[in-house]
Each structure stands twice: as C-alpha cells, then as structure tokens.
Amino acid sequence: MGESMMAFTGVGVVSSNGFDSRAASCTRRRASRTTVRMAEELGDSTDKPGPLSTMEWAKVWFDNIRQTYVLKTEDEYAPQASGDIAELQGAFPFTLYKYFAKLGAVYTLAFGPKKFYVVSDPVVAKHILRRKSLLYDKGMLADILEGIMGKGLIPADFETWKKRRRAIVPGFHEAFLNRMIRTFSDCTTRMKSRINGEIDRGKGGVVLDLEAEYCSLALDIIGIAVFNYDFNSVTSMNPIIKAVYRMLQEAEWRSKFLIPIWNVEPLNWVVPRLRAFREDQKLLNDTLDGLIEQAVSSKSSEDLEQLVQRDYDNVNDPSLLRYLVDLRGEEATCTQLRDDLMTMLIAGHETTASLLTWATYLILQRPDLLERVREEVDEVLGDSDAPTWAQLKQLELVPRILAEALRLYPQPPLLIRRALAEDTWPQGGGSGRVSVKRGSDIFISVWNLHRSPDLWENPLEFDPDRWTRPYSNPAVKGWSGLDPARANGLFPNEVAADFAFLPFGGGSRKCVGDQFAMLESIVAFAVAMRDFDMVLLDDPEQIERELVTGATIHTKDGLRVRVSPRRKGDDRAHDKTDLSHDDTDSKPKQRSALENTVMEPSTLASVPSNSSS
Ligand code: HEM
C-alpha cells in the first residue's frame, strides 16, 4: 500500500515537543514539567486500550468484507471512494487528494478486508492526535516498522514508548542544540568545499543532483548527532553508508507493500531482497552495538540537571547516545538503545534531506524571493560559515520558506493511526459526525490538509509571506485558523494554524527532532543560497508530474541543478541567466506547475464546502 510511514528552543522559548528548555537552573522544574506536559499531550482520555486480538481482527475483517462486497453498503457515516488499486500505488497520497475533492474531508477507502478512513480535516486531526491520542496507536505503521526499528519510539508498544519518550525528549536540550549548530555548519562547510572542488574541476560550473547532496549532508549530521559517528558520506562511500541507504530504501519499500512477507521468517532467508536486508541490518547492528558498548564502557551516570549543564562546547562526544547512556534513572538495555538510535537515524535523515530539496526547488523558481533571502542572509550572517544561535534567531524569511516548503511537500505526506476504541469525531469541516469502531485504520492526509482550499488562501501557491497574515474560515467549525501570533518559536508550527499545518505532527506523538531539523535546515539552506548560483535544469511541470512517494516525497530522478559560485552585484549584471530557471521574469512560476500536478483549480472549487453543514 502506498501509504507513508511516517514525523526552537532559544533561551526562554518553550519547545512544542514536550520540553521547555529555559535556563539550566530551571532543569529540575523542567523535568517535572516534561511529565506534566506529556500528560497534557496524552489528551483527555484516561486509559490506553490494548491492541486487537486475533479474534477481534477476524471480526473486523469479516465485517469489512461483508459490508463492502456482500451487502455493498457504504459506511454509515462517511462516503466511500471507489477506484483502481493500481492507481493508488506509488502516487497514493496524491490520489487521495482527488477523492478529497469529490468526497470531502472524511471518506473511506476499502481494499479486500481492509477499510481506511481518510481524514483531511484539522478539527478531526486535532481530536485524533491530541485530544484523544490515547485512543489511537500507529497501527499499520508499527506493523511495518517493527522489523527495522524494533522498540524504537515509532513502532514501540505504549509502555515502552512512554518510558523512552520521557528519556529522549529532554535530550534535545538547549546546550545540545547549540552544540549541534556547530555540527550543522561544519558538515555544510564540508559539502560546500566538495562542491567548490567539483566546480573548479568543471571550470566554473557543475551539474549536481541536489537531492543526493542533501541526503549525504543529512546522513552525516544525523550520524554525529545521534551516535557521534561520522559517516562522511559527503565525500566518500563505504559499506556502512551503503547499508544505511539500503535500509532506508527497505523501510520505504515496506511502507508500500501490501503483504508483510517479512513477517514469515523463512522468507527472510529465501527471498534475495529480504536476505540482503538481513545482511545490511547485521552490518549496521554490529556497528551500532560497537558504538553502544564503547559508550557504556565509559558511562558516567548523571542526573538530567547535570547532563544539560555539561560544557557541550568542549565535550568529546555530544551525541544523544552519550546522553541516553549517562542519564540516571532511565537505564536501557543495549537492544533498546540500538532501536532508539536506528529510529532517529531513519526518522531524521530523509525527512530533512527532502525538506531541503523541496525548499531549493521552490526558491529556484522565484528569483524575487531568492534575492530577498540573500539580502537577509548577507545582512545577518555576513560571510560567516559558523552562524550562532543568536544569528539564526534573527532570520525570518528563511524559516518561513522552509515552513512553506513543508506545507507544499509534507514529509511524510500521511500520518497513520488505528482506533483502539470506539470514538466519535467532531464535525469540523465535514458533513457530519463520524463514529469509528475499534480496529479502524486511519490516514490523516497531511498533503490534503496542507493544500485544502478551505484552510488556505491560494493553497497551491508558494507564498512564504502567508505566514505573516492571519487567515480563518468560520465555516470549518471549531477551527481557529492561522494566526501568526501563535507561532511561538523560530518557525510556524501546528499551533499557529490549529492543526491545519502538521509539518511535525502534533500531540503526544509529535516529532522529537523538530527544532533540530529546522535549525539544521536553516543553516544548510541559508549557506547554500548565499554562496551558490543555481539553475534548475528540469522542467518543474515534469518534476511535479513524476513525484514519487513513500515515507517522504522525492523527485523521480533527482533534482538536477547547475551550480556555480555566487556572483554578486556587477558580476551578475552581465549575465542574467545564472540565478534560476528563468530569472528574466520575476513573476512566480510555481503556481502553474503545482496546479498541473495534482488537481485543477476547477476541481478544487468542487470540493464540497465541508464547511457549510
Ligand atoms: C524536516 C525533518 C523532519 C520532519 C518533517 C519530521 C516529521 C515527523 C512527523 C510528521 C512525525 C510524527 C509522525 C506521526 O505522528 O505519526 C515525526 C515523528 C518522529 N520524528 Fe521526526 N521529522 C523530522 C526530523 C526528525 C529528526 C531530525 C529526528 C531525530 C533526530 C526525528 C525523530 C522523530 C521521532 C523519533 C519520531 C517519533 C516520535 C514518537 O512517536 O513519539 N525527526 N517526525
């Protein structure tokens, strides 16, 4: 099934992922606040119902088959989409948008014994992700990822998740993030030097696949941040890097595969693909085990308060592994630590690379915005390759561009949940209140939410300045609209748009690495835009037509860009072809490409105005 897997603190800024990283002296209060906050995020449900038994599953599937194929009746509450399953493979999230236009903000899809609710409504999304989060788990996503991430945060059972989340979230404290800014700039500088080397060899310009460049950059950064291991994939390739890439591809492939054949143990030794995966997994596990053993052998048990006061500028190993091993009171087995690390490696790698890819793709079609970005970055960072947190906080347009890239290309485009108890959803913009049974599978379509004409002005337009203008639609009952004043931090998040914008999810399962990822992307994007002139070589309309998706959204064959050193002022006045796809005309080109990809505006107009009833 083509569903997807998947998910700033400054001094005095409260992080939205459950951790308030104020001054170090507040640490004890902060630790208990993490627990309180977590309780709040778990919503107003009281107990977490357990997973379904085999007998319960048999009944759910029997009822689905009976309703869909024997009685041929629709769900009592939500319209049902009918379509060719082949149409859904590969382009699944985008196809869901077409059905959204026809059927509204909540509808169902049926395949064999399976039935899915597709939700494109911010009020219902908030209900599921935040208000009643205890009534839902990750369902199919956990089934798919367990073989890769074990009991890491994404597929873990509830008790393990609660314990590990409580340990991991405070690990992204201010001193750690501050130290990571140095890692972001060091790795970005390394990428820059390599590109400059290629440019020199190419006599002034070179054609690069920027998607691959950003992928290497993000891998190097996450390796250092999570387990203090430098893959150095920006400049080299070795068996471990290859194994990581194949593991990521496997996670992506499994997320699209209908039958979980990898759960049939003997097949893992017979099917070549699964056998190769096992070998990669062993290589990677051995490497991680070695790093974990090393960390454990030099363990220095400390309280959270002491850990966040460490002099991160001077420690040899600033990694999350070091923090998790040293954290007193949350001791974990080596296997658990490995699962934690593997989960963060996978969750934090391609997501960030995709964000950088799409932000670059979008800005290269808007020379007017590129000029503004360069003005901002020149003014705030000057020529520095080592920005400070204080400088990063002064950037305004860059974070808005990244937020807008995440709006148009959310990573992942779908969030997956399963109802563990009967529940009735609020009306929101839908045509009526929907009741779901225990065992119902749900896709929250972030792609649809982010492009809904009910929730955004000119939803398909790349308009980073929208994040400065309030927007509301009283017809979507219970939705408080976009209010830039609610964006409490360096970038607009789900709170600013009241769950119409879910770049990092929301509620108790919200991304733990949101601020890390945004800081990383701000550094890399700002430096790349400041220092290079780039020309998009492929036709944006074709790129849009051929989007590929799994856990993240990719171009079909990479983002081909001609890169040369940035020419400033007079130099550039002599040659106007270096800035972007077509910089002779500063009118936005973005809109038409986006419109052609997914849905005609006329179709959009026919989206039932969910809002009226
Ligand atoms: C631009 C980059 C990123 C994006 C767009 C992103 C997006 C997301 C989203 C949407 C979720 C929620 C999934 C759900 O509710 O089902 C999530 C969860 C998660 N993310 Fe991220 N993420 C990014 C970077 C990172 C990084 C850098 C890390 C780690 C260093 C990370 C670690 C995680 C983990 C562990 C979870 C699971 C949390 C839980 O279930 O408690 N992510 N991410």
Side-chain angles (χ1 to χ4, degrees):
M1 168 87 30
E3 39 73 27
S4 308
M5 295 186 287
M6 323 238 167
F8 279 111
T9 50
V11 173
V13 178
V14 179
S15 156
S16 48
N17 65 11
F19 187 66
D20 172 353
S21 64
R22 285 170 198 271
S25 60
C26 303
T27 313
R28 205 182 301 280
R29 198 179 61 213
R30 194 166 42 199
S32 72
R33 201 178 290 173
T34 303
T35 317
V36 173
R37 183 103 188 197
M38 221 166 135
E40 277 170 11
E41 285 178 344
L42 288 174
D44 53 12
S45 350
T46 45
D47 289 319
K48 178 96 178 166
L52 278 79
S53 65
T54 314
M55 284 304 285
E56 283 181 295
W57 269 125
K59 180 162 174 5
V60 169
W61 288 2
F62 176 78
D63 287 348
N64 286 345
I65 290 176
R66 190 160 160 271
Q67 186 181 22
T68 312
Y69 302 101
V70 182
L71 301 177
K72 300 198 170 145
T73 51
E74 289 211 341
D75 186 273
E76 207 177 323
Y77 303 100
Q80 184 169 312
S82 53
D84 180 1
I85 190 166
E87 196 188 359
L88 295 170
Q89 293 285 337
F92 188 62
F94 316 134
T95 309
L96 295 187
Y97 194 61
K98 289 188 192 154
Y99 290 127
F100 164 48
K102 278 195 234 148
L103 302 171
V106 178
Y107 62 87
T108 63
L109 276 174
F111 302 117
K114 287 271 193 187
K115 186 166 107 178
F116 303 90
Y117 288 83
V118 180
V119 171
S120 318
D121 184 311
V123 180
V124 179
K126 187 174 176 181
H127 174 91
I128 296 171
L129 296 177
R130 196 159 89 182
R131 255 200 80 213
K132 296 280 181 182
S133 76
L134 270 187
L135 298 187
Y136 297 85
D137 72 4
K138 297 242 177 171
M140 284 171 49
L141 184 64
D143 302 343
I144 291 166
L145 291 179
E146 204 181 348
I148 297 175
M149 298 177 179
K151 282 179 178 279
L153 278 188
I154 295 176
D157 60 275
F158 182 62
E159 287 308 320
T160 309
W161 169 79
K162 221 167 44 172
K163 192 169 179 327
R164 297 313 293 155
R165 180 146 178 132
R166 198 184 295 123
I168 290 170
V169 166
F172 290 85
H173 54 83
E174 189 186 334
F176 169 74
L177 290 176
N178 228 326
R179 169 63 185 78
M180 282 301 111
I181 291 174
R182 201 165 90 205
T183 301
F184 304 151
S185 40
D186 288 349
C187 291
T188 304
T189 305
R190 188 159 71 185
M191 177 179 82
K192 215 175 91 173
S193 309
R194 199 192 67 78
I195 295 178
N196 277 328
E198 290 216 17
I199 290 175
D200 288 345
R201 281 190 293 280
K203 301 201 170 40
V206 65
V207 174
L208 293 174
D209 169 6
L210 271 195
E211 197 169 358
E213 296 293 333
Y214 287 142
C215 236
S216 301
L217 174 69
L219 180 61
D220 288 357
I221 289 174
I222 200 79
I224 295 171
V226 174
F227 34 79
N228 201 32
Y229 181 86
D230 188 356
F231 287 103
N232 195 3
S233 66
V234 160
T235 56
S236 63
M237 182 55 83
N238 64 40
I240 297 178
I241 300 172
K242 283 186 192 155
V244 173
Y245 280 129
R246 282 196 300 254
M247 293 271 293
L248 291 167
Q249 279 162 8
E250 183 67 17
E252 188 110 352
W253 179 77
R254 289 187 180 191
S255 78
K256 296 189 214 168
F257 206 75
L258 267 175
I259 308 153
I261 54 167
W262 51 90
N263 287 341
V264 184
E265 187 52 28
L267 291 183
N268 290 298
W269 304 108
V270 181
V271 178
R273 171 179 197 117
L274 298 181
R275 220 175 46 221
F277 166 71
R278 280 282 165 103
E279 282 160 19
D280 289 336
Q281 195 174 35
K282 183 168 180 333
L283 177 64
L284 211 53
N285 282 351
D286 289 348
T287 310
L288 288 182
D289 286 347
L291 294 168
I292 292 168
E293 266 167 39
Q294 225 175 320
V296 170
S297 68
S298 53
K299 178 182 168 105
S300 140
S301 226
E302 287 178 19
D303 292 335
L304 177 60
E305 188 167 356
Q306 294 166 305
L307 281 176
V308 304
Q309 281 177 340
R310 274 184 182 170
D311 179 6
Y312 269 80
D313 277 337
N314 291 309
V315 292
N316 287 333
D317 176 0
S319 72
L320 286 166
L321 169 61
R322 178 82 271 160
Y323 159 88
L324 288 173
V325 166
D326 290 352
L327 180 61
R328 184 177 291 140
E330 295 286 356
E331 283 78 8
T333 61
C334 287
T335 312
Q336 180 63 57
L337 284 168
R338 197 176 68 200
D339 292 345
D340 291 339
L341 303 183
M342 188 71 90
T343 302
M344 286 193 271
L345 175 73
I346 294 178
H349 170 222
E350 276 201 49
T351 42
T352 314
S354 298
L355 165 57
L356 286 166
T357 303
W358 291 111
T360 304
Y361 164 80
L362 289 164
I363 194 102
L364 291 186
Q365 295 168 74
R366 288 289 302 273
D368 56 327
L369 282 172
L370 181 56
E371 281 302 334
R372 282 176 56 200
V373 164
R374 286 175 159 185
E375 269 165 34
E376 178 176 88
V377 178
D378 284 344
E379 193 182 316
V380 176
L381 303 191
D383 288 335
S384 169
D385 276 341
T388 61
W389 193 326
Q391 285 174 315
L392 297 180
K393 276 196 286 185
Q394 288 173 47
L395 296 172
E396 290 179 1
L397 183 57
V398 171
R400 287 207 300 268
I401 283 174
L402 295 170
E404 188 66 350
L406 278 172
R407 186 183 69 81
L408 288 167
Y409 300 94
Q411 321 288 345
L414 294 178
L415 302 181
I416 296 169
R417 292 294 185 273
R418 177 173 293 150
L420 296 174
E422 247 181 64
D423 190 20
T424 300
W425 295 340
Q427 180 169 337
S431 51
R433 286 161 69 85
V434 171
S435 287
V436 288
K437 294 188 190 128
R438 174 166 158 84
S440 300
D441 281 310
I442 299 152
F443 295 139
I444 297 175
S445 173
V446 184
W447 176 273
N448 290 357
L449 276 167
H450 286 190
R451 291 171 175 237
S452 166
D454 285 338
L455 308 172
W456 307 95
E457 218 178 349
N458 301 323
L460 303 187
E461 194 170 314
F462 174 54
D463 174 13
D465 293 327
R466 75 170 69 246
W467 297 102
T468 61
R469 300 187 300 264
Y471 179 77
S472 63
N473 179 358
V476 183
K477 294 191 180 66
W479 179 58
S480 55
L482 165 63
D483 179 359
R486 283 200 304 263
N488 179 13
L490 270 184
F491 66 100
N493 61 11
E494 80 283 4
V495 179
D498 199 16
F499 282 66
F501 181 53
L502 293 172
F504 294 100
S508 60
R509 305 305 294 258
K510 185 173 171 179
C511 180
V512 299
D514 58 342
Q515 299 162 65
F516 177 98
M518 283 306 277
L519 281 166
E520 172 182 355
S521 305
I522 289 175
V523 171
F525 186 75
V527 170
M529 293 308 118
R530 183 194 63 190
D531 292 348
F532 294 111
D533 286 337
M534 300 184 191
V535 183
L536 194 59
L537 293 178
D538 295 318
D539 175 12
E541 289 191 10
Q542 186 171 347
I543 292 177
E544 297 278 346
R545 264 197 309 275
E546 297 177 342
L547 292 182
V548 180
T549 173
T552 51
I553 303 168
H554 307 275
T555 59
K556 181 166 166 273
D557 296 313
L559 188 71
R560 286 190 331 122
V561 171
R562 192 170 70 239
V563 184
S564 52
R566 175 180 171 194
R567 274 170 294 174
K568 291 190 182 170
D570 289 348
D571 281 354
R572 218 185 39 203
H574 297 301
D575 178 1
K576 290 207 85 196
T577 60
D578 61 346
L579 260 180
S580 81
H581 193 59
D582 177 6
D583 73 343
T584 52
D585 173 5
S586 67
K587 271 190 304 205
K589 292 271 182 287
Q590 192 53 43
R591 186 137 193 246
S592 57
L594 289 169
E595 280 167 356
N596 289 342
T597 320
V598 196
M599 191 191 276
E600 297 300 325
S602 56
T603 333
L604 276 175
S606 72
V607 173
S609 164
N610 319 316
S611 4
S612 48
S613 37

